[in-house]
Amino acid sequence: MVAHAEAPRGSLQHYFPGGKDQLIAEAVAWAGDYAARRVARIAAKIEDPTPGKLFEAMAAQWRDEFTAQGFDGGCPLVATVADTAATSESLREAVGKAFEGWQRPVASALRELGVPAPRSTSLAVLMLSALEGAIVLARAHQDVAPLDTVVEELRPLLDGAAA
């Protein structure tokens, strides 16, 4: 990694004294913050917003990325959990915090769209779970159909939750 970056050999230890786990944990925290900020930007751009349209816009980002760039990319949070959850408690905790940081703005956006507070929290979990699962399936099948399916199936449920 240091050679690829053409950095001095001591750079990794200087900036990440906790080693690889610290580097990954900081990258995961950044990814979670990025996802959270994206939710706010998405919500602000939706015309005649509804919970279903919010979810559709979240899925559309992945659909667009896969269509334009192929299926190599994926969510770094899922990849980190899959690769390290059983071997590193600190990384599992970092990913858990990143997911919570992403879930909060989704729940907040749902509340702003008229979903009652307790339901907004559970629907945010459902939305992120469905989105992440669809991302994994889309990559496995090299097809965006799983993203389209979760949007189609969840839109009525999400829109029906708004008061």
Side-chain angles (χ1 to χ4, degrees), residues 7-8 13 17 21 26 32 52-53 55 64 79 85 90 92 126-127:
Q13 289 79 17
D21 279 4
E26 289 189 28
K53 285 183 180 179
F55 185 64
D64 294 347
S90 64
R92 190 205 52 75
L126 177 64
M127 290 167 66

Side-chain angles (χ1 to χ4, degrees), residues 10-32:
S11 295
L12 184 63
Q13 289 79 17
H14 175 74
Y15 291 106
F16 301 100
K20 186 172 96 173
D21 279 4
Q22 181 188 359
L23 174 65
I24 294 169
E26 289 189 28
V28 161
W30 181 90

Side-chain angles (χ1 to χ4, degrees), residues 14-92:
H14 175 74
Y15 291 106
F16 301 100
K20 186 172 96 173
D21 279 4
Q22 181 188 359
L23 174 65
I24 294 169
E26 289 189 28
V28 161
W30 181 90
D33 289 344
Y34 177 78
R37 289 188 309 271
R38 245 167 57 167
V39 171
R41 285 194 308 269
I42 290 169
K45 291 181 181 179
I46 300 172
E47 286 189 37
D48 301 319
T50 67
K53 285 183 180 179
L54 173 64
F55 185 64
E56 180 178 11
M58 291 169 63
Q61 290 184 326
W62 285 99
R63 184 182 218 295
D64 294 347
E65 180 177 324
F66 289 150
T67 301
Q69 300 172 13
F71 293 86
D72 292 340
C75 179
L77 303 181
V78 171
T80 303
V81 168
D83 289 347
T84 65
T87 61
S88 174
E89 181 65 18
S90 64
L91 288 178
R92 190 205 52 75

Side-chain angles (χ1 to χ4, degrees), residues 64-133:
D64 294 347
E65 180 177 324
F66 289 150
T67 301
Q69 300 172 13
F71 293 86
D72 292 340
C75 179
L77 303 181
V78 171
T80 303
V81 168
D83 289 347
T84 65
T87 61
S88 174
E89 181 65 18
S90 64
L91 288 178
R92 190 205 52 75
E93 288 176 8
V95 174
K97 286 179 186 177
F99 271 122
E100 288 171 4
W102 186 13
Q103 180 184 324
R104 276 190 299 276
V106 173
S108 177
L110 290 172
R111 283 190 301 277
E112 290 174 18
L113 294 170
V115 176
R119 187 101 193 264
S120 70
T121 301
S122 63
L123 288 178
V125 170
L126 177 64
M127 290 167 66
L128 295 185
S129 299
L131 180 59
E132 290 294 346

